[in-house]
Amino acid sequence: MGVLDRLGEGGASVSDLAGPAGMSLTGMKKHIGILEEAGLVRTEKRGRTRWCELATEGFDEAAFWLEEFRRRRHEQLNRLEEVVERRKRERQT
Amino acid sequence: MTGLNELHKTVVTLPADTEIHTERIFDAPPEVIWDCFMDPELLKQWLGPDRLEMRVDEFDARPGGKWSYVHIDSDGTEYRFFGEFVELDRPVRAVQTFNFVMEPQPPPSVDELNLIPLENDQTRLVTKTTFESREQRDGMIQAGMEKGMNEGYEKLDSILAGRER
């Protein structure tokens, strides 16, 4: 199971995550660091461990970008379709 | 034209970290679609965001030939794009490089256009854009978001002003 899938079920410490993922503590720390930089994971120090949670707003933002791209591309291809229709009619006459 | 848009949904996917794929079916044979991409007079009728004027400055549609065009905002701001045709196999496949002019100039992305003939004179259009890095790809999507959002706000403005869009 991926780290993000695991965190989707709830928060966990870095060492909770490392074991099941078959990674060293250092490796997992690095991995979490990358996810944190990407805005997908949020961490905080709790006693002697680092606690990790999904940063849901990061996912919302990513999904929003893609949705906007999709919408724009769709609009553009709708216009292409109109030009295609006109072109087809011109060819027939 | 009824229901055409329902049938002809655009499918956008991100199959790899540096790629954007789009797919769409059109009710016309590949030759017609090809001309809409490769004839600048037709291209400027549909390419680009809503309400931006398009001016084609260069369009030498043969391998190694250059193209460049601008999208012009109502306030006169110009967004310039340029690139080079790499492969042109009418009406099947086209490959070209694509740049959006900005400082500093990022490396070009590579656009592939594939037109697959279907039954009943339909065509499946498949585009694949490959970027240098994931960062660059996400930047492209982000840029689309900004534009799209502004367009959305403009439409909202019109609605609030009680006008037709």
Side-chain angles (χ1 to χ4, degrees):
Chain A
M1 187 191 277
V3 169
L4 293 176
D5 290 328
R6 168 64 188 81
L7 289 176
E9 295 173 354
S13 71
V14 174
S15 52
D16 289 343
L17 294 168
M23 282 172 82
S24 70
L25 204 57
T26 324
M28 184 51 75
K29 263 186 197 149
K30 230 180 238 174
H31 188 50
I32 291 293
I34 291 165
L35 293 175
E36 192 169 17
E37 207 166 297
L40 300 177
V41 168
R42 192 178 16 232
T43 74
E44 63 180 39
K45 197 121 180 88
R46 284 199 187 169
R48 298 174 64 187
T49 61
R50 183 154 286 276
W51 190 256
C52 312
E53 277 172 2
L54 277 193
T56 43
E57 65 278 7
F59 286 94
D60 290 348
E61 207 178 325
F64 185 67
W65 290 352
L66 184 58
E67 200 38 58
E68 279 301 317
F69 180 82
R70 204 169 267 155
R71 191 185 62 75
R72 231 161 62 89
R73 182 49 68 94
H74 193 59
E75 257 177 27
Q76 194 166 307
L77 292 181
N78 281 345
R79 287 200 299 274
L80 170 58
E81 187 155 57
E82 284 166 24
V83 174
V84 164
E85 288 299 320
R86 247 180 285 141
R87 181 77 169 169
K88 260 172 41 189
R89 280 197 296 274
E90 280 167 22
R91 278 181 142 201
Q92 278 159 9
T93 54
Chain B
M1 292 287 283
T2 39
L4 217 53
N5 294 346
E6 299 306 312
L7 286 165
H8 299 179
K9 280 262 182 237
T10 305
V11 181
V12 179
T13 51
L14 307 177
D17 278 354
T18 57
E19 289 178 11
I20 302 177
H21 285 207
T22 67
E23 264 194 55
R24 164 76 176 248
I25 291 174
F26 286 92
D27 276 337
E31 289 81 7
V32 175
I33 313 285
W34 179 275
D35 291 348
C36 290
F37 275 89
M38 293 304 163
D39 177 342
E41 285 307 311
L42 294 172
L43 184 69
K44 69 183 189 191
Q45 291 178 37
W46 64 270
L47 192 71
D50 282 355
R51 282 177 299 283
L52 294 195
E53 286 293 310
M54 181 172 167
R55 188 185 75 228
V56 180
D57 290 332
E58 206 178 0
F59 206 88
D60 185 12
R62 55 187 169 178
K66 291 182 176 10
W67 61 264
S68 79
Y69 56 73
V70 285
H71 290 307
I72 308 162
D73 230 329
S74 49
D75 67 1
T77 312
E78 295 194 350
Y79 305 95
R80 178 169 292 280
F81 302 83
F82 69 95
E84 204 175 296
F85 295 102
V86 178
E87 199 184 316
L88 291 169
D89 181 10
R90 185 179 190 269
V92 180
R93 181 179 150 82
V95 181
Q96 64 196 73
T97 61
F98 178 94
N99 298 272
F100 173 47
V101 172
M102 59 192 289
E103 276 296 328
Q105 187 64 50
S109 54
V110 178
D111 274 353
E112 281 181 46
L113 171 72
N114 294 286
L115 299 174
I116 301 155
L118 304 173
E119 281 172 24
N120 309 321
D121 267 352
Q122 286 188 314
T123 302
R124 183 191 304 278
L125 175 151
V126 180
T127 70
K128 177 179 152 188
T129 306
T130 308
F131 298 86
E132 280 282 302
S133 63
R134 172 167 190 170
E135 204 181 16
Q136 206 190 333
R137 183 201 66 185
D138 291 349
M140 167 82 172
I141 295 175
Q142 221 175 333
M145 176 199 72
E146 277 183 38
K147 252 281 135 48
M149 265 175 64
N150 290 333
E151 282 177 13
Y153 290 148
E154 281 166 29
K155 272 173 233 159
L156 182 60
D157 282 345
S158 313
I159 292 166
L160 292 177
R163 283 178 284 131
E164 287 277 322
R165 178 176 167 261

